[in-house]
Amino acid sequence: MAFSIGVVSDTHGQLNSKVEEVLRRYQVSQILHAGDVGDPEVLQALEKIAPVTAVLGNVDMKHRELTARLREIEQVQIVPGLNILITHICGFPPNCQKTLPGHLRDRVLAAVEEDEVRVVIFGHSHV
């Protein structure tokens, strides 16, 4: 059985219908949201498609429900041997030491350097 992951970020309170369409068309098994969800309703809509792991972004700080539910960093194992680290603000390692907030920097860099994670997903850059 194929396993597919949908990755989204920076929805800022609006889930584009084309994004929903693609996630449904490819029947994703898991959705990873790299922060700036913007509204709890975005997570509710995504959860109707597949299980969601999301992180807190800077835009989410004004939403009490999101700050209570989300953490700034998550590490998930989708399949054995594939550990994924998700955060909102980063940069391509080792450059994340320049852009990642100090309290998260050591955790992200240690996970990458110790080969604890194979993939780092981040948002914020709108790229």
Side-chain angles (χ1 to χ4, degrees), residues 77-123:
Q77 184 178 71
I78 301 297
V79 295
L82 179 59
N83 293 319
I84 300 173
L85 187 138
I86 312 161
T87 189
H88 182 61
I89 300 174
C90 191
F92 189 78
N95 293 330
C96 42
Q97 56 208 27
K98 296 176 185 171
T99 56
L100 188 64
H103 63 286
L104 298 176
R105 180 180 306 123
D106 292 342
R107 288 176 57 196
V108 171
L109 293 176
V112 171
E113 289 170 2
E114 295 171 16
D115 208 24
E116 189 178 318
V117 297
R118 306 292 292 168
V119 176
V120 176
I121 294 174
F122 61 94

Side-chain angles (χ1 to χ4, degrees), residues 55-74:
V55 296
L56 191 67
N58 54 295
V59 165
D60 302 324
M61 301 305 273
K62 62 184 176 185
H63 296 279
R64 182 172 288 161
E65 185 177 332
L66 293 174
T67 58
R69 177 178 175 179
L70 304 177
R71 298 185 303 173
E72 292 178 295
I73 190 168
E74 289 285 352

